[in-house]
Amino acid sequence: MVTDDTDGNAPESAPTASDIPMLGLGTWQNEDPGQCVESVRTALEMGYRHIDTAQIYDNEAAVGEGIERADVDRGDVVLATKIWISNLAREDVLKTARESLDRLGVEYVDVLYVHWPARTYDPEETLEAFTELHEEGLIENVGVSNFLPEQVAEATAVSDVPILANQIELHPLLPQDDVREACAAHDIEVVAYSPLARGAVFDEPVLQEIAADHGVSEARVSLAWLREKGVIAIPKATSEAHIRDNWGSLSLELSADEINAIDAIETNERQVDPGFAPWN
């Protein structure tokens, strides 16, 4: 039986990794402006301090409005957005990053990601533009997303600003051990998108059993497992119930046996697999 969504045992704040709260709110597919504003506001007032969006999500304005409406100081929020693959040439990075800031209604973002190493991405040219934005104070940190170990190493070598994080699909059904090891070797944090495998975790027997034993959802088990691995998670959620349930994962502690059981799941399946991905 799943615990009540108003679980009062969750802490007031999430632990951090390199000053990034380890549980954030993802906003992919949160395209209805009113709903997006409300979900961001709700999350922030619940205790979230990490909000993730992207140019391609077409919701930066709503995300910014949600931050503005929340009774939370902007300076306390780690806000991230991503430059889309058609905008990664130097001048396009400089232009569209400013456009993102305008839509968000902020003077800077805490993390700006290269969304994919694809299309107009050129390691030296793209990351040079990110460095310029950093020097101007428009971005606090540089991030990459969907980078394989070889792209991680290359970006680290050419960027004048340290790479803070690599945002990748990561969940118990796609553990990404090789990418996590590469990031650890370069002191790069790992941020997990689709940490619930777009709902597939709810059908995994190992997670079902552990969830039942604790009286919680499979979502909480998956998020707690990621936290135990030192991975930052940004599950997307729109309803207050789901936002609250994900937040409740912060109070769940898994045993070593439970972690080992999840590690032993043999599924290795992507939910996000576009043709332009570096592994295709």
Side-chain angles (χ1 to χ4, degrees):
M1 182 176 180
V2 175
T3 54
D4 189 275
D5 282 333
T6 58
D7 184 357
N9 295 321
E12 293 183 1
S13 62
T16 61
S18 298
D19 295 327
I20 306 176
M22 294 188 72
L23 182 63
L25 179 72
T27 62
W28 177 69
Q29 287 191 330
N30 196 348
E31 297 167 353
D32 177 84
Q35 181 185 63
C36 186
V37 169
E38 186 61 16
S39 61
V40 170
R41 184 196 65 79
T42 296
L44 289 173
E45 294 187 351
M46 192 177 296
Y48 287 74
R49 293 294 183 269
H50 179 188
I51 306 295
D52 183 89
T53 183
Q55 292 177 341
I56 198 66
Y57 297 173
D58 196 27
N59 62 8
E60 288 175 316
V63 167
E65 186 176 342
I67 294 172
E68 175 65 26
R69 290 193 186 184
D71 188 21
V72 173
D73 289 341
R74 161 67 186 99
D76 293 335
V77 179
V78 172
L79 174 61
T81 192
K82 310 177 198 73
I83 303 287
W84 187 239
I85 59 177
S86 57
N87 299 328
L88 292 171
R90 178 182 175 279
E91 292 302 321
D92 292 332
V93 169
L94 299 176
K95 175 176 180 289
T96 66
R98 287 175 168 81
E99 292 170 349
S100 287
L101 293 179
D102 288 342
R103 286 190 292 269
L104 287 161
V106 297
E107 295 181 354
Y108 69 96
V109 291
D110 298 84
V111 188
L112 185 68
Y113 289 96
V114 176
H115 204 152
W116 292 84
R119 301 278 167 84
T120 57
Y121 174 68
D122 175 86
E124 293 188 2
E125 180 181 341
T126 300
L127 291 170
E128 179 183 339
F130 274 58
T131 296
E132 289 186 43
L133 293 169
H134 181 267
E135 290 174 346
E136 291 181 47
L138 301 180
I139 67 175
E140 291 285 329
N141 296 283
V142 173
V144 296
S145 185
N146 298 296
F147 277 40
L148 296 176
E150 52 266 38
Q151 278 106 29
V152 168
E154 183 178 43
T156 301
V158 303
S159 179
D160 291 331
V161 179
I163 305 297
L164 177 67
N166 184 17
Q167 186 177 131
I168 58 174
E169 180 186 351
L170 179 56
H171 44 73
L173 310 182
L174 185 71
Q176 298 259 45
D177 293 342
D178 57 340
V179 180
R180 286 194 286 127
E181 289 171 5
C183 289
H186 292 284
D187 294 322
I188 294 173
E189 299 294 343
V190 175
V191 178
Y193 72 76
S194 296
L196 308 181
R198 295 188 175 179
V201 297
F202 293 95
D203 299 321
E204 168 52 51
V206 172
L207 299 175
Q208 289 174 339
E209 181 177 352
I210 295 171
D213 288 344
H214 287 274
V216 300
S217 66
E218 292 82 1
R220 291 193 190 189
V221 174
S222 299
L223 295 172
W225 175 80
L226 287 165
R227 191 177 70 251
E228 291 285 352
K229 297 294 183 183
V231 172
I232 300 160
I234 49 168
K236 72 164 189 172
T238 54
S239 71
E240 180 177 352
H242 286 149
I243 293 169
R244 189 175 298 280
D245 187 54
N246 292 340
W247 188 250
S249 69
L250 295 173
S251 63
L252 177 61
E253 297 294 334
L254 300 176
S255 70
D257 286 344
E258 289 169 334
I259 294 169
N260 290 337
I262 296 172
D263 290 347
I265 294 173
E266 294 184 355
T267 305
N268 196 53
E269 186 173 281
R270 293 186 184 276
Q271 302 294 323
V272 180
D273 193 18
F276 55 75
W279 50 83
N280 286 329

